[in-house]
Amino acid sequence: MSLLIKNGLVIDPQNHTEAVMDLLIDGGVIKKAEPEIVAPDAEVYDASGKVVAPGLVDLHVHFREPGLEYKEDITSGSHAAAKGGVTTVVCMPNTKPVVDNAALVKYVINRGKEVGLINVLTAGCISKGQKGAELSEIGELAAAGAVAVSDDGRPVVSSSLMRKALEYAKMFDIPVFSHSEDLELVDNGSMNEGYMSTVLGLRGIPKAAESVAVSRDVLIAKQVGGRLHVCHVSTRDSIEAIRAAKKCGVHVTAETAPHYFTLTDRACDGFNTNAKMNPPLRDEDDIAAVIEGLQDGTIDAIATDHAPHHRDEKELEFEQASNGIVGLETSLGLGVTYLVKTGKLTLCQLIEKMSTVPAQIIGFDRGTLGIGKIADIVVFDPDATYTVDVSKFESKGKNSPYDGFQLYGRVDMTITGGKIVYRNTEY
Ligand SMILES: [Zn+2]
């Protein structure tokens, strides 16, 4: 089947393209991108006024399969991704059991293929059982298709183990995704330490719990090499540590999540457990630092840390509630609304951080609309608004602090491998 997308604003950061033109997809690949393409046999989609961009690549999602399918599974997660314009995800391995062997890596990848909506990739564990003691067989994980290693959900407490992980992962040319957190500094805190934690009477988590761990990780990477990728960066000091490391030539990349440039810890007011996450929501100064980091390239990517939970795990006292929010169905809208419409980033820069660069970080040949490339595409309207309604989420998780928000950047169509996997029929 061939598809002709007409008159869209085609944005391809990798090829420095940003122009209104037509795009012809045939045999699953991009055949042509030029004005006024004639293709009599193709299905025609009119994208006037819309953006045609490479499908989003989300480096950090929790699809909860195997073992925690009551929260999410690869089917529901894939549908949520497709609805959000996301055509590739990297699943974190903190499932039940954890993905610390080749068989489970293959299981996740194959389940994604069976569902057949998006590219479901996975990280494997850094340590066996995510226990932080013994390195997993990183070579076997990589051979089975793991695109990274991570103990996400938990930090690698042992500096020596982090060193070994970077050294081994380097041999197989995959990055180490670090959930950088100093658990002693966290000290059972449940939200950012500051005015709001005092008001709410909750134990706070100091910003240093993140920045101390990020600093350690970049210093180890500086010493031993390897590719360090810092997950969900949320504080000014973490960003400054990464900026300084990049200046010294350390191979470090970083991601942040939309909640770290859109919300502060004030969202926890009223003990709102849908604003409880790890790292916790910070303050205005950190939001400013995250945006500066995105602007100057210190932060390479925007990932969602999509973390679905069952309602019962959120309808608890704040301290007891699970950490995390769902993000796949709001990430593009939040990026367009809070970064592009405010003039902080251009549309091209946003797409670079949500597609092109994350694809490069994991060495996956996507994130571009080059001729001959596999047609993973998102078509969205940057000027159309929509209201977030969690009851309509494809994700099993409804734990989002954005319910009722008006956002720009409505996703109208998502294409994976030349196949339409989502079409917005609501307008
Ligand atoms: Zn994490």
Side-chain angles (χ1 to χ4, degrees):
M1 188 204 84
S2 52
L3 176 66
L4 178 59
I5 303 174
K6 295 221 40 109
N7 300 315
L9 177 63
V10 174
I11 300 182
D12 179 8
Q14 189 156 304
N15 291 309
H16 309 286
T17 303
E18 186 166 350
V20 174
M21 61 174 107
D22 299 347
L23 199 76
L24 180 65
I25 299 157
D26 189 40
V29 300
I30 297 166
K31 280 276 179 207
K32 270 188 196 175
E34 54 194 57
E36 301 294 330
I37 297 174
V38 178
D41 299 331
E43 179 190 340
V44 176
Y45 179 86
D46 181 13
S48 300
K50 297 177 187 181
V51 170
V52 180
L56 307 182
V57 177
D58 190 334
L59 293 178
H60 198 129
V61 305
H62 297 273
F63 275 6
R64 308 299 193 194
E65 192 177 340
L68 300 162
E69 290 86 351
Y70 71 95
K71 294 176 192 264
E72 190 84 291
D73 57 34
I74 290 171
T75 306
S76 59
S78 295
H79 278 284
K83 192 173 175 188
V86 177
T87 51
T88 300
V89 297
V90 179
C91 295
M92 291 299 114
N94 58 337
T95 45
K96 212 172 168 183
V98 297
V99 180
D100 66 353
N101 61 71
L104 282 173
V105 168
K106 286 180 187 157
Y107 171 81
V108 172
I109 294 170
N110 289 336
R111 279 289 300 128
K113 284 184 180 156
E114 279 165 26
V115 174
L117 290 172
I118 60 157
N119 309 299
V120 177
L121 308 177
T122 190
C125 294
I126 290 173
S127 66
K128 284 186 182 159
Q130 279 201 338
K131 292 196 167 77
E134 206 183 331
L135 213 56
S136 58
E137 300 290 347
I138 292 179
E140 286 178 19
L141 296 171
V147 293
V149 284
S150 182
D151 271 359
D152 186 58
R154 292 184 52 76
V156 174
V157 174
S158 159
S159 304
S160 157
L161 193 74
M162 181 54 95
R163 174 203 175 139
K164 287 181 193 138
L166 282 162
E167 287 173 336
Y168 273 86
K170 184 173 153 188
M171 288 196 263
F172 306 102
D173 198 25
I174 58 173
V176 174
F177 279 26
S178 178
H179 169 117
S180 302
E181 183 182 27
D182 184 316
L183 293 175
E184 289 189 348
L185 282 169
V186 172
D187 195 19
N188 294 315
S190 59
M191 68 172 290
N192 184 49
E193 183 178 293
Y195 173 75
M196 271 317 287
S197 63
T198 307
V199 168
L200 294 173
L202 293 169
R203 188 192 284 264
I205 302 170
K207 296 177 187 180
E210 177 181 308
S211 53
V212 163
V214 170
S215 302
R216 180 203 73 168
D217 290 343
V218 295
L219 289 170
I220 298 172
K222 183 179 179 184
Q223 169 104 46
V224 304
R227 283 159 56 203
L228 173 70
H229 176 75
V230 184
C231 296
H232 40 60
V233 170
S234 75
T235 75
R236 178 174 289 280
D237 286 340
S238 305
I239 293 161
E240 282 175 4
I242 294 161
R243 185 177 286 126
K246 284 187 167 190
K247 279 203 182 111
C248 303
V250 180
H251 282 183
V252 56
T253 53
E255 72 188 33
T256 193
H259 34 277
Y260 301 121
F261 58 77
T262 56
L263 297 174
T264 67
D265 57 5
R266 287 197 306 276
C268 301
D269 202 5
F271 302 96
N272 178 10
T273 57
N274 282 334
K276 185 184 180 194
M277 52 202 86
N278 187 25
L281 295 172
R282 308 290 186 178
D283 61 32
E284 299 288 356
D285 181 58
D286 297 298
I287 289 187
V290 166
I291 291 171
E292 285 158 27
L294 286 164
Q295 287 171 325
D296 75 1
T298 302
I299 300 176
D300 304 84
I302 297 169
T304 58
D305 198 359
H306 177 79
H309 290 293
H310 191 271
R311 215 205 295 172
D312 294 348
E313 295 162 316
K314 280 291 194 182
E315 287 180 358
L316 291 170
E317 280 180 50
F318 197 89
E319 284 113 319
Q320 269 77 52
S322 296
N323 280 308
I325 64 167
V326 287
L328 281 165
E329 292 166 77
T330 48
S331 57
L332 182 60
L334 290 166
V336 171
T337 307
Y338 286 83
L339 297 174
V340 177
K341 291 294 179 188
T342 54
K344 309 289 188 198
L345 294 185
T346 63
L347 266 175
C348 187
Q349 287 171 317
L350 181 70
I351 291 158
E352 202 170 15
K353 295 195 185 286
M354 295 189 79
S355 177
T356 310
V357 176
Q360 288 163 354
I361 289 171
I362 51 166
F364 192 52
D365 190 15
R366 296 295 196 282
T368 171
L369 298 175
I371 306 302
K373 296 290 184 185
I374 290 174
D376 285 5
I377 293 170
V378 56
V379 180
F380 65 97
D381 189 330
D383 301 317
T385 57
Y386 67 100
T387 304
V388 178
D389 179 353
V390 298
S391 71
K392 290 184 182 160
F393 277 1
E394 294 285 343
S395 172
K396 290 185 188 178
K398 312 299 174 194
N399 48 308
S400 167
Y402 300 110
D403 193 29
F405 274 45
Q406 277 253 320
L407 300 179
Y408 289 99
R410 183 191 66 203
V411 175
D412 286 336
M413 188 162 71
T414 307
I415 297 165
T416 310
K419 189 176 96 180
I420 297 171
V421 293
Y422 170 74
R423 204 164 200 166
N424 191 338
T425 51
E426 279 182 23
Y427 68 94

